[in-house]
Amino acid sequence: MSRVENMFAMAGWNISTKNLRAQIASAIHLVVQMERQEDGKRRMVSIQEINGMEGEVITMSEIFRFNREGVDEKGNVLGHYTATGVVPDCHSSLIKRGIDLPFELFNELDGKEEK
């Protein structure tokens, strides 16, 4: 989140770090982390939900992650996505909006969705 904080500082906003983080934590629900890996491809490596604040710290829970397994003979990164077992708090909000994700999706299984 420090990049977001830096953007506010560069824009000249005069707001305390704690208040800025509280605003970020209340405005952003999910963070999708992308990473350019050595095979040149950008991959989603983590999806996390922002849970709120503890003091001046934004708390987050990881929902899905990319588990890297190595590199093939052509230099492509191998791996798969797994759930962490955490059902996000926003699950009920998604259902209300017509997006009914089954609870099984969040089970901590080693499904091999991407190679």
Side-chain angles (χ1 to χ4, degrees), residues 3 15 17 34 38 62 65 71 76 94:
R3 285 186 179 184
I15 184 171
T17 301
M34 303 294 290
E38 66 266 22
E62 188 171 46
R65 76 171 59 102
V71 180
N76 296 310
L94 292 172

Side-chain angles (χ1 to χ4, degrees), residues 26-45:
S26 67
I28 299 174
H29 302 288
L30 295 173
V31 174
V32 177
Q33 181 181 355
M34 303 294 290
E35 181 180 285
R36 183 183 300 273
Q37 298 185 329
E38 66 266 22
D39 61 3
K41 297 176 184 171
R42 288 191 187 269
R43 278 191 184 75
M44 177 184 67
V45 293

Side-chain angles (χ1 to χ4, degrees), residues 23-73:
Q23 289 291 319
I24 292 169
S26 67
I28 299 174
H29 302 288
L30 295 173
V31 174
V32 177
Q33 181 181 355
M34 303 294 290
E35 181 180 285
R36 183 183 300 273
Q37 298 185 329
E38 66 266 22
D39 61 3
K41 297 176 184 171
R42 288 191 187 269
R43 278 191 184 75
M44 177 184 67
V45 293
S46 180
I47 298 178
Q48 299 186 25
E49 180 179 42
I50 295 181
N51 304 110
M53 297 280 297
E54 286 184 14
E56 291 191 19
V57 178
I58 297 173
T59 60
M60 301 171 73
S61 298
E62 188 171 46
I63 302 166
F64 299 102
R65 76 171 59 102
F66 180 72
N67 290 321
R68 183 188 165 112
E69 296 174 339
V71 180
D72 69 10
E73 63 280 347

